[in-house]
Amino acid sequence: MKLAFIIDPIQNLDPCHDTSVAMMEAACILGHEVWITQTSGLSVVDSTAWAHLQQVEIIPVELTDAGYKAANSWYKLSEKTNYSLETMDAVFMRTDPPVNDIYLYATYILDYIDQSKTLVVNSPKGIRDANEKMYALQFTQAIPETIVSADKHLIRQFVEDKGAAVLKPLGNKAGEGILFLDKSDRNFNSIVELSTLRGKVPVMLQTFLPEAKQGDKRIILLDGEPVGALNRLSAPGEFRNNMAAGGTVARTEITSREREICTQLAPTLQKSGLIFVGIDVIGGYLTEVNVTSPTGIREIDRFSNTNLGKKFIQWVEEAIKNLRLGL
């Protein structure tokens, strides 16, 4: 197969951590051609999506007792070539958020791939529809008490009712801008004014879950099916559990409650074309649905002796086979 990955600059990726690298590595090992581009390399010509592509060979990481170890030069690139993306068997949108204008324009370009010819993961429309904070709100039996608002008075009332809450900007990533709000905080008004740009931009407020001290679980779903999980623990002096905020990771298992949540999500995710998804769960409550470039499979593989990159590419192989057969 010929597989195209739309990623951030490859030299900035961490082969021992980044899920995109794990996927590309697995594809190379399975004998497929792997090509890469960035959002700036996308175009529409004659109503068809094109890209400046480079073929890449990934040198596999080595798992040691101390963790993953990568070669000094862990990838090899060909020269750039302009190709119609419909010459690829599959295209993967794996650029990190934020979902800003540049990101959205890239998804509009990807709409001009004939998906009866080329598999696109995740669906461009699905990504646009699924704000990673707002998307969870439809699963009312799975989420903690939540509001979304720019109204300072409504936000204060929610925090006073709950005693404490977590404020989340709707468009950020990796824990950026997430704040703990206490009703007695003397900076309360200033925090809300700064976060909402003085009442112009809505934010999400979720009741604070004390179970967050035991970790924030990332569960990876492949076509609606949970395939692995890891627990993220906050760094000393930090309430956020995100790895990007200095959090550590630990082995974990998927509970029956968490499997129920996955079952609730699966039909909606599949209908939206959201194939590779990472959900965040704290204390048995769904807090976010990550659809842009969810990560975590390197860590899951290390703890669980799995190979989720290989599992994903094998799913892609079967999906493309079915596409060719018109199924």
Side-chain angles (χ1 to χ4, degrees):
M1 299 188 301
K2 297 176 73 172
L3 308 177
F5 287 78
I6 304 165
I7 58 174
D8 294 305
I10 191 168
Q11 66 271 19
N12 295 340
L13 301 186
D14 179 355
C16 298
H17 167 69
D18 280 290
T19 288
S20 297
V21 179
M23 291 173 170
M24 295 189 293
E25 176 189 290
C28 288
I29 291 172
L30 290 170
H32 304 300
E33 288 185 23
V34 177
W35 299 76
I36 62 171
T37 190
Q38 296 175 42
T39 55
S40 60
L42 302 177
S43 304
V44 175
V45 179
D46 294 330
S47 298
T48 301
W50 288 66
H52 294 299
L53 293 165
Q54 292 176 279
Q55 190 170 356
V56 64
E57 177 187 348
I58 303 294
I59 311 303
V61 296
E62 177 187 356
L63 182 56
T64 70
D65 291 340
Y68 291 109
K69 181 179 180 181
N72 288 332
S73 299
W74 56 269
Y75 63 90
K76 299 177 183 178
L77 286 175
S78 70
E79 295 297 317
K80 286 185 180 179
T81 309
N82 201 34
Y83 280 117
S84 163
L85 286 174
E86 290 179 6
T87 64
M88 299 288 123
D89 293 290
V91 175
F92 308 105
M93 181 59 171
R94 290 286 308 171
T95 302
D96 281 345
V99 181
N100 52 19
D101 286 348
I102 294 170
Y103 200 109
L104 288 172
Y105 296 155
T107 69
Y108 290 133
I109 292 173
L110 296 182
D111 284 337
Y112 286 88
I113 297 174
D114 184 345
Q115 295 194 41
S116 68
K117 297 178 181 178
T118 299
L119 179 70
V120 182
V121 177
N122 283 324
S123 159
K125 184 179 186 302
I127 291 173
R128 289 195 299 271
D129 289 347
N131 174 276
E132 297 186 330
K133 307 295 190 298
M134 294 289 293
Y135 194 77
L137 295 179
Q138 63 192 293
F139 306 105
T140 55
Q141 296 181 340
I143 62 172
E145 292 184 78
T146 303
I147 65 168
V148 174
S149 181
D151 186 325
K152 182 168 62 178
H153 301 293
L154 183 59
I155 292 171
R156 176 173 284 282
Q157 186 62 56
F158 182 83
V159 175
E160 287 183 351
D161 289 346
K162 308 308 172 189
V166 175
L167 182 153
K168 298 180 179 181
L170 296 179
N172 288 2
K173 63 179 176 64
E176 295 169 351
I178 293 179
L179 299 167
F180 176 82
L181 279 184
D182 184 279
K183 64 180 181 180
S184 61
D185 193 329
R186 294 174 64 185
N187 295 307
F188 186 98
N189 288 336
S190 293
I191 289 171
V192 174
E193 288 165 4
L194 288 169
S195 298
T196 64
L197 300 184
R198 291 190 171 273
K200 296 175 184 177
V201 178
V203 294
M204 173 175 280
L205 272 292
Q206 289 182 329
T207 185
F208 175 68
L209 299 171
E211 296 89 344
K213 294 178 181 178
Q214 281 74 57
D216 181 344
K217 193 174 293 189
R218 164 61 55 85
I219 302 174
I220 298 295
L221 284 77
L222 177 56
D223 197 23
E225 180 70 21
V227 294
L230 66 106
N231 198 28
R232 298 171 296 178
L233 301 162
S234 61
E238 174 65 74
F239 85 96
R240 298 171 299 173
N241 293 314
N242 307 75
M243 288 184 278
T248 57
V249 294
R251 180 186 177 91
T252 191
E253 302 294 334
I254 303 173
T255 68
S256 58
R257 163 63 177 169
E258 290 157 355
R259 291 190 181 278
E260 289 175 7
I261 292 173
C262 294
T263 299
Q264 290 179 46
L265 269 62
T268 305
L269 294 175
Q270 291 166 333
K271 185 178 179 181
S272 298
L274 299 173
I275 302 303
F276 192 85
V277 171
I279 65 170
D280 296 339
V281 179
I282 297 175
Y285 288 100
L286 173 70
T287 59
E288 290 187 24
V289 181
N290 300 274
V291 303
T292 49
S293 59
T295 193
I297 71 173
R298 285 292 200 204
E299 291 78 11
I300 293 170
D301 287 347
R302 178 159 58 92
F303 291 128
S304 305
N305 194 29
T306 53
N307 190 331
L308 295 186
K310 180 179 179 181
K311 188 178 184 72
F312 173 67
I313 298 300
Q314 289 175 330
W315 180 93
V316 171
E317 292 172 345
E318 189 65 23
I320 290 172
K321 179 181 176 181
N322 292 337
L323 190 66
R324 299 287 177 262
L325 294 172
L327 300 178

